[in-house]
Amino acid sequence: MIKVCFVCLGNICRSPMAELVFKDLAEKEGLSDKFEITSCGTSSCEAGSAIYPPIKRTLDSHRISGSHIARKITKTDLEDSDYILAMDGENIYELKCMSGGKYSDKMYKLCSFTDKPRDVADPWYTRDFERAYCDVFDGCRAFLEYLKREAL
Ligand code: 4NP
């Protein structure tokens, strides 16, 4: 079982989107039983909130279903996850601060697995939800291909 934890700041936009997109890709490849997939935020600012409605609408438009309630990352997430996949460099910085650098070897930016390593721009500020979806989809697909080559 490969434990994957997607991380952003608030856990209402990018990381729950990545969680649901990755679950969908894994299911379509018949690989759901190989994974334990979750998401969380580096902050508790949105803890308890549902997925941000414009993100939910974007997922719906791509026929990706599911729900998530925002939560802040815990020590257990850091300890137990095999892959901690952050959306941007600031997320990685926060993760390293809270873990004292301990789990750096399993922290990656999601889009570092793609041909064009980049941050997933925060749609909370850009308001470009489709662009966030494209980055997240690209990152999830590249990450799954990486696992199929290296770990599955
Ligand atoms: P996320 O987006 O980190 O992709 O979930 C944000 C959500 C909430 C806030 C910032 C970013 N906020 O400042 O409340």
Side-chain angles (χ1 to χ4, degrees):
M1 184 71 79
I2 299 176
K3 295 181 182 174
V4 182
C5 182
F6 295 98
V7 180
C8 63
L9 172 66
N11 193 216
I12 57 168
C13 294
R14 295 164 295 172
S15 64
M17 181 181 246
E19 175 188 337
L20 298 184
V21 165
F22 191 75
K23 281 179 175 169
D24 184 70
L25 286 173
E27 192 184 333
K28 283 177 175 147
E29 299 235 12
L31 295 170
S32 297
D33 60 340
K34 305 272 184 214
F35 296 109
E36 208 172 284
I37 305 161
T38 187
S39 70
C40 53
T42 57
S43 158
S44 60
C45 63
E46 293 290 347
S49 299
I51 295 175
Y52 190 48
I55 292 285
K56 183 75 178 108
R57 285 196 288 276
T58 305
L59 288 166
D60 288 346
S61 76
H62 290 278
R63 296 169 191 267
I64 291 170
S65 57
S67 61
H68 180 77
I69 299 296
R71 64 184 186 87
K72 186 180 176 182
I73 193 165
T74 64
K75 197 163 170 270
T76 307
D77 292 307
L78 290 167
E79 276 172 9
D80 289 0
S81 301
D82 297 305
Y83 293 91
I84 300 169
L85 300 180
M87 300 300 124
D88 63 29
E90 203 176 309
N91 303 151
I92 293 274
Y93 175 80
E94 292 294 334
L95 286 166
K96 286 186 177 171
C97 284
M98 65 180 69
S99 64
K102 198 170 171 194
Y103 304 107
S104 299
D105 57 334
K106 52 187 182 181
M107 293 175 186
Y108 304 85
K109 284 203 292 187
L110 176 61
C111 288
S112 67
F113 293 93
T114 73
D115 295 343
K116 289 183 198 158
R118 60 198 186 276
D119 288 349
V120 177
D122 192 339
W124 185 260
Y125 301 107
T126 66
R127 313 310 294 170
D128 191 339
F129 302 100
E130 187 59 28
R131 181 177 154 209
Y133 175 82
C134 290
D135 284 347
V136 161
F137 183 81
D138 201 23
C140 286
R141 193 173 47 185
F143 176 58
L144 187 56
E145 289 306 315
Y146 165 82
L147 291 179
K148 282 162 67 181
R149 280 195 311 274
E150 307 288 335
L152 283 171

